[in-house]
Amino acid sequence: MIKLATRVGKVPPSITLAIAAKAKAMKTQGIDVCSFSAGEPDFDTPQHIKDAAKLALDSGKTKYGAASGEPKLREAIAKKLRNDNNLNYGPENVIVSNGGKHSLFNLMLALIETGDEVIIPAPYWLSYPEMVKLAAGTPVIVETTAETEYKITPQQLREAITPNTKLFVLNSPSNPTGTVYTPDEIKALAEVIIDHDLLVVSDEIYEKILYDGAEHISIGALGEEIFKRTIISNGFAKSYSMTGWRVGYLAGPTELIKATSIIQSHSTSNVCTFAQYGAIAALEDSQDCVQEMLTAFTQRRRVMVDRIQAMSKLSCSTPMGAFYVFVDISQTGMKSLEFSDALLEAEKVAVIPGIAFGADDCIRLSYATDLGTIEKGMARLEKFVKV
Ligand code: GLU
């Protein structure tokens, strides 16, 4: 009998990955599944990005690189953060990791230890609390509701702070709710963070996926006091349809980036070298591909939201960003696991139960899939909830 480390026992596997894998396996068996599970854009990676990686591969970019990332990519990311987000970073403030998830995990390891509390508004992306636990910290979950558009208020943040609070996790646009905080709301949260001398990690992975004129503002851009307390997490997966490439990054104060670099130098070393050249092309070449994908997401969102809002037992608000619809299922009398298991079993529609995000009366559907699947899946969902 193997006695595993206690830290493993405290953390369940990622449900998003598990359900996505289950839906894929069912498809391989010839079952006609409509999968709205993982947030993975169905588009292929744009050709110019693939060409840049192929060129790098053919020109010998196949060796170990700097553990913190190719200097050219760190420079390109710093430039992007200056130009797009008004954040005054240099390459020394940037570390390239194996996707946004790995960037956040490195951050937790570098920052959090036993006794430290991390404030996470719920519904949250399911890996945040687990990463905090793996780093031996304590996640402090603050519930939000549809009435406040699933946004944490400055007062709620203030009330959750204790002498042990170290970090606040902000994710706008949000996974799983699609909520986007307004600049004024971000400003109000920044004031609380400064008052209590906390750090904030701003997960901006969905920053380019915005609808109906919603605006993304990076909390760190609001002034010097908040800038020095901010860490940015971002990556290439969602905006450039590069999920499998595993390229993400953190940006923040130099000493913190240095610390994550030490961790990375003993764990993964550099991100796949030629993949990083694809990422350079993603940032430096035309951004038309981002816009084209956004146009498709906009249309898919409309179709999915309209169909769900027409189902009397379900309710959802229209997401302002990302590519998820967060649906309240409380009128069905079922909790989220029961609902999603039964839906998959009866109608072959894969969704993520809200319990994974800290909201058991809800389910999450990703519309990063084709319109045909959305139409078919919505008809099945209507049948399941009997409209
Ligand atoms: N972040 C995506 C999602 O929430 C991908 C899966 C995961 O890593 O959780 O579906």
Side-chain angles (χ1 to χ4, degrees), residues 14 16-17 37-40 101 125-127 175 206 238 324 357 364:
S14 163
T16 39
L17 296 188
S37 54
E40 174 161 43
K101 191 181 273 187
W125 177 49
L126 74 180
S127 293
N175 173 7
Y206 297 100
K238 314 293 185 183
Y324 306 106
F357 311 107
R364 187 195 79 176

PDB file of all heavy atoms in Angstrom, residues 14 16-17 37-40 101 125-127 175 206 238 324 357 364, ligand 1:
ATOM      1  N   SER A  14      -9.261  17.688 -11.604  1.00  0.00           N
ATOM      2  CA  SER A  14      -9.969  18.769 -12.305  1.00  0.00           C
ATOM      3  C   SER A  14     -11.198  18.202 -13.026  1.00  0.00           C
ATOM      4  O   SER A  14     -11.065  17.360 -13.917  1.00  0.00           O
ATOM      5  CB  SER A  14      -9.031  19.442 -13.304  1.00  0.00           C
ATOM      6  OG  SER A  14      -9.772  20.193 -14.229  1.00  0.00           O
ATOM      7  N   THR A  16     -13.272  19.799 -15.010  1.00  0.00           N
ATOM      8  CA  THR A  16     -13.374  20.254 -16.413  1.00  0.00           C
ATOM      9  C   THR A  16     -12.619  19.303 -17.325  1.00  0.00           C
ATOM     10  O   THR A  16     -13.130  18.879 -18.362  1.00  0.00           O
ATOM     11  CB  THR A  16     -12.783  21.679 -16.600  1.00  0.00           C
ATOM     12  OG1 THR A  16     -11.614  21.814 -15.817  1.00  0.00           O
ATOM     13  CG2 THR A  16     -13.759  22.749 -16.252  1.00  0.00           C
ATOM     14  N   LEU A  17     -11.394  18.964 -16.909  1.00  0.00           N
ATOM     15  CA  LEU A  17     -10.591  18.076 -17.750  1.00  0.00           C
ATOM     16  C   LEU A  17     -11.213  16.678 -17.796  1.00  0.00           C
ATOM     17  O   LEU A  17     -11.248  16.037 -18.846  1.00  0.00           O
ATOM     18  CB  LEU A  17      -9.141  18.003 -17.248  1.00  0.00           C
ATOM     19  CG  LEU A  17      -8.345  19.319 -17.299  1.00  0.00           C
ATOM     20  CD1 LEU A  17      -6.881  19.072 -16.977  1.00  0.00           C
ATOM     21  CD2 LEU A  17      -8.450  20.024 -18.646  1.00  0.00           C
ATOM     22  N   SER A  37     -18.231  21.260 -22.562  1.00  0.00           N
ATOM     23  CA  SER A  37     -17.495  21.087 -21.311  1.00  0.00           C
ATOM     24  C   SER A  37     -16.297  22.030 -21.201  1.00  0.00           C
ATOM     25  O   SER A  37     -16.453  23.149 -20.707  1.00  0.00           O
ATOM     26  CB  SER A  37     -17.105  19.620 -21.138  1.00  0.00           C
ATOM     27  OG  SER A  37     -16.409  19.149 -22.262  1.00  0.00           O
ATOM     28  N   ALA A  38     -15.118  21.613 -21.629  1.00  0.00           N
ATOM     29  CA  ALA A  38     -13.940  22.463 -21.403  1.00  0.00           C
ATOM     30  C   ALA A  38     -14.005  23.710 -22.271  1.00  0.00           C
ATOM     31  O   ALA A  38     -14.551  23.689 -23.370  1.00  0.00           O
ATOM     32  CB  ALA A  38     -12.672  21.691 -21.701  1.00  0.00           C
ATOM     33  N   GLY A  39     -13.422  24.764 -21.759  1.00  0.00           N
ATOM     34  CA  GLY A  39     -13.342  26.006 -22.527  1.00  0.00           C
ATOM     35  C   GLY A  39     -12.192  25.925 -23.499  1.00  0.00           C
ATOM     36  O   GLY A  39     -11.114  26.440 -23.229  1.00  0.00           O
ATOM     37  N   GLU A  40     -12.443  25.259 -24.610  1.00  0.00           N
ATOM     38  CA  GLU A  40     -11.368  25.067 -25.600  1.00  0.00           C
ATOM     39  C   GLU A  40     -11.888  25.477 -26.970  1.00  0.00           C
ATOM     40  O   GLU A  40     -12.722  24.763 -27.555  1.00  0.00           O
ATOM     41  CB  GLU A  40     -10.945  23.597 -25.613  1.00  0.00           C
ATOM     42  CG  GLU A  40      -9.940  23.303 -26.702  1.00  0.00           C
ATOM     43  CD  GLU A  40      -9.179  22.013 -26.475  1.00  0.00           C
ATOM     44  OE1 GLU A  40      -9.799  21.012 -26.089  1.00  0.00           O
ATOM     45  OE2 GLU A  40      -7.950  22.036 -26.703  1.00  0.00           O
ATOM     46  N   LYS A 101      -2.390  28.061 -16.334  1.00  0.00           N
ATOM     47  CA  LYS A 101      -2.557  27.245 -15.134  1.00  0.00           C
ATOM     48  C   LYS A 101      -1.221  27.067 -14.408  1.00  0.00           C
ATOM     49  O   LYS A 101      -1.131  27.228 -13.189  1.00  0.00           O
ATOM     50  CB  LYS A 101      -3.121  25.883 -15.554  1.00  0.00           C
ATOM     51  CG  LYS A 101      -3.591  25.019 -14.425  1.00  0.00           C
ATOM     52  CD  LYS A 101      -4.110  23.678 -14.943  1.00  0.00           C
ATOM     53  CE  LYS A 101      -5.559  23.728 -15.332  1.00  0.00           C
ATOM     54  NZ  LYS A 101      -6.110  22.398 -15.683  1.00  0.00           N
ATOM     55  N   TRP A 125     -12.963  29.854 -11.000  1.00  0.00           N
ATOM     56  CA  TRP A 125     -12.382  28.799 -11.831  1.00  0.00           C
ATOM     57  C   TRP A 125     -11.860  27.731 -10.867  1.00  0.00           C
ATOM     58  O   TRP A 125     -11.173  28.033  -9.897  1.00  0.00           O
ATOM     59  CB  TRP A 125     -11.250  29.326 -12.715  1.00  0.00           C
ATOM     60  CG  TRP A 125     -10.607  28.240 -13.510  1.00  0.00           C
ATOM     61  CD1 TRP A 125     -11.239  27.295 -14.275  1.00  0.00           C
ATOM     62  CD2 TRP A 125      -9.213  27.967 -13.604  1.00  0.00           C
ATOM     63  NE1 TRP A 125     -10.316  26.465 -14.853  1.00  0.00           N
ATOM     64  CE2 TRP A 125      -9.066  26.839 -14.455  1.00  0.00           C
ATOM     65  CE3 TRP A 125      -8.070  28.560 -13.063  1.00  0.00           C
ATOM     66  CZ2 TRP A 125      -7.832  26.299 -14.773  1.00  0.00           C
ATOM     67  CZ3 TRP A 125      -6.844  28.026 -13.379  1.00  0.00           C
ATOM     68  CH2 TRP A 125      -6.733  26.913 -14.227  1.00  0.00           C
ATOM     69  N   LEU A 126     -12.222  26.501 -11.140  1.00  0.00           N
ATOM     70  CA  LEU A 126     -12.070  25.436 -10.150  1.00  0.00           C
ATOM     71  C   LEU A 126     -10.642  25.187  -9.665  1.00  0.00           C
ATOM     72  O   LEU A 126     -10.459  24.659  -8.569  1.00  0.00           O
ATOM     73  CB  LEU A 126     -12.696  24.133 -10.676  1.00  0.00           C
ATOM     74  CG  LEU A 126     -12.009  23.318 -11.762  1.00  0.00           C
ATOM     75  CD1 LEU A 126     -12.835  22.098 -12.102  1.00  0.00           C
ATOM     76  CD2 LEU A 126     -11.714  24.100 -13.007  1.00  0.00           C
ATOM     77  N   SER A 127      -9.646  25.574 -10.416  1.00  0.00           N
ATOM     78  CA  SER A 127      -8.276  25.268  -9.976  1.00  0.00           C
ATOM     79  C   SER A 127      -7.718  26.275  -8.961  1.00  0.00           C
ATOM     80  O   SER A 127      -6.729  25.969  -8.293  1.00  0.00           O
ATOM     81  CB  SER A 127      -7.328  25.172 -11.178  1.00  0.00           C
ATOM     82  OG  SER A 127      -7.673  24.047 -11.962  1.00  0.00           O
ATOM     83  N   ASN A 175     -14.252  33.247 -15.801  1.00  0.00           N
ATOM     84  CA  ASN A 175     -14.611  31.848 -16.000  1.00  0.00           C
ATOM     85  C   ASN A 175     -15.050  31.383 -14.605  1.00  0.00           C
ATOM     86  O   ASN A 175     -14.249  31.472 -13.679  1.00  0.00           O
ATOM     87  CB  ASN A 175     -13.380  31.070 -16.464  1.00  0.00           C
ATOM     88  CG  ASN A 175     -13.618  29.569 -16.542  1.00  0.00           C
ATOM     89  OD1 ASN A 175     -14.732  29.107 -16.383  1.00  0.00           O
ATOM     90  ND2 ASN A 175     -12.542  28.819 -16.772  1.00  0.00           N
ATOM     91  N   TYR A 206      -8.957  35.892 -20.504  1.00  0.00           N
ATOM     92  CA  TYR A 206     -10.076  36.146 -21.436  1.00  0.00           C
ATOM     93  C   TYR A 206     -10.168  37.615 -21.842  1.00  0.00           C
ATOM     94  O   TYR A 206     -11.204  38.051 -22.319  1.00  0.00           O
ATOM     95  CB  TYR A 206     -11.402  35.695 -20.792  1.00  0.00           C
ATOM     96  CG  TYR A 206     -11.440  34.212 -20.507  1.00  0.00           C
ATOM     97  CD1 TYR A 206     -11.191  33.717 -19.223  1.00  0.00           C
ATOM     98  CD2 TYR A 206     -11.677  33.289 -21.517  1.00  0.00           C
ATOM     99  CE1 TYR A 206     -11.188  32.353 -18.963  1.00  0.00           C
ATOM    100  CE2 TYR A 206     -11.682  31.919 -21.272  1.00  0.00           C
ATOM    101  CZ  TYR A 206     -11.435  31.466 -19.991  1.00  0.00           C
ATOM    102  OH  TYR A 206     -11.432  30.103 -19.748  1.00  0.00           O
ATOM    103  N   LYS A 238      -6.563  30.896 -25.098  1.00  0.00           N
ATOM    104  CA  LYS A 238      -7.936  31.279 -25.418  1.00  0.00           C
ATOM    105  C   LYS A 238      -8.006  32.270 -26.573  1.00  0.00           C
ATOM    106  O   LYS A 238      -8.824  32.114 -27.467  1.00  0.00           O
ATOM    107  CB  LYS A 238      -8.627  31.864 -24.186  1.00  0.00           C
ATOM    108  CG  LYS A 238      -8.436  31.079 -22.898  1.00  0.00           C
ATOM    109  CD  LYS A 238      -9.087  29.710 -22.881  1.00  0.00           C
ATOM    110  CE  LYS A 238      -8.930  29.058 -21.509  1.00  0.00           C
ATOM    111  NZ  LYS A 238      -9.455  27.713 -21.427  1.00  0.00           N
ATOM    112  N   TYR A 324     -18.441  31.350 -21.870  1.00  0.00           N
ATOM    113  CA  TYR A 324     -19.246  30.456 -21.033  1.00  0.00           C
ATOM    114  C   TYR A 324     -20.606  31.077 -20.721  1.00  0.00           C
ATOM    115  O   TYR A 324     -20.697  32.303 -20.559  1.00  0.00           O
ATOM    116  CB  TYR A 324     -18.543  30.209 -19.701  1.00  0.00           C
ATOM    117  CG  TYR A 324     -17.124  29.712 -19.854  1.00  0.00           C
ATOM    118  CD1 TYR A 324     -16.045  30.555 -19.596  1.00  0.00           C
ATOM    119  CD2 TYR A 324     -16.876  28.410 -20.287  1.00  0.00           C
ATOM    120  CE1 TYR A 324     -14.740  30.107 -19.751  1.00  0.00           C
ATOM    121  CE2 TYR A 324     -15.566  27.959 -20.437  1.00  0.00           C
ATOM    122  CZ  TYR A 324     -14.513  28.813 -20.172  1.00  0.00           C
ATOM    123  OH  TYR A 324     -13.225  28.367 -20.333  1.00  0.00           O
ATOM    124  N   PHE A 357     -17.344  24.889  -9.409  1.00  0.00           N
ATOM    125  CA  PHE A 357     -16.981  26.317  -9.339  1.00  0.00           C
ATOM    126  C   PHE A 357     -17.514  26.962  -8.061  1.00  0.00           C
ATOM    127  O   PHE A 357     -17.540  28.187  -7.942  1.00  0.00           O
ATOM    128  CB  PHE A 357     -17.566  27.065 -10.548  1.00  0.00           C
ATOM    129  CG  PHE A 357     -17.291  26.415 -11.878  1.00  0.00           C
ATOM    130  CD1 PHE A 357     -18.299  25.766 -12.576  1.00  0.00           C
ATOM    131  CD2 PHE A 357     -16.025  26.442 -12.435  1.00  0.00           C
ATOM    132  CE1 PHE A 357     -18.053  25.155 -13.797  1.00  0.00           C
ATOM    133  CE2 PHE A 357     -15.764  25.836 -13.654  1.00  0.00           C
ATOM    134  CZ  PHE A 357     -16.783  25.184 -14.338  1.00  0.00           C
ATOM    135  N   ARG A 364     -22.247  25.053 -16.075  1.00  0.00           N
ATOM    136  CA  ARG A 364     -21.537  25.911 -17.030  1.00  0.00           C
ATOM    137  C   ARG A 364     -21.521  25.263 -18.400  1.00  0.00           C
ATOM    138  O   ARG A 364     -21.207  24.081 -18.518  1.00  0.00           O
ATOM    139  CB  ARG A 364     -20.093  26.153 -16.568  1.00  0.00           C
ATOM    140  CG  ARG A 364     -19.362  27.170 -17.428  1.00  0.00           C
ATOM    141  CD  ARG A 364     -17.855  27.153 -17.215  1.00  0.00           C
ATOM    142  NE  ARG A 364     -17.235  26.049 -17.930  1.00  0.00           N
ATOM    143  CZ  ARG A 364     -15.915  25.828 -17.992  1.00  0.00           C
ATOM    144  NH1 ARG A 364     -15.092  26.634 -17.348  1.00  0.00           N
ATOM    145  NH2 ARG A 364     -15.426  24.814 -18.666  1.00  0.00           N
TER     146      ARG A 364
HETATM  147  N1  GLU B   1      -9.742  26.632 -18.353  1.00  0.00           N
HETATM  148  C1  GLU B   1     -10.562  25.807 -19.199  1.00  0.00           C
HETATM  149  C2  GLU B   1     -11.909  25.538 -18.574  1.00  0.00           C
HETATM  150  O1  GLU B   1     -12.229  26.058 -17.542  1.00  0.00           O
HETATM  151  C3  GLU B   1      -9.829  24.544 -19.580  1.00  0.00           C
HETATM  152  C4  GLU B   1      -9.910  23.402 -18.660  1.00  0.00           C
HETATM  153  C5  GLU B   1      -9.166  23.628 -17.362  1.00  0.00           C
HETATM  154  O2  GLU B   1      -7.966  23.727 -17.418  1.00  0.00           O
HETATM  155  O3  GLU B   1      -9.826  23.744 -16.360  1.00  0.00           O
HETATM  156  O4  GLU B   1     -12.673  24.802 -19.143  1.00  0.00           O
END
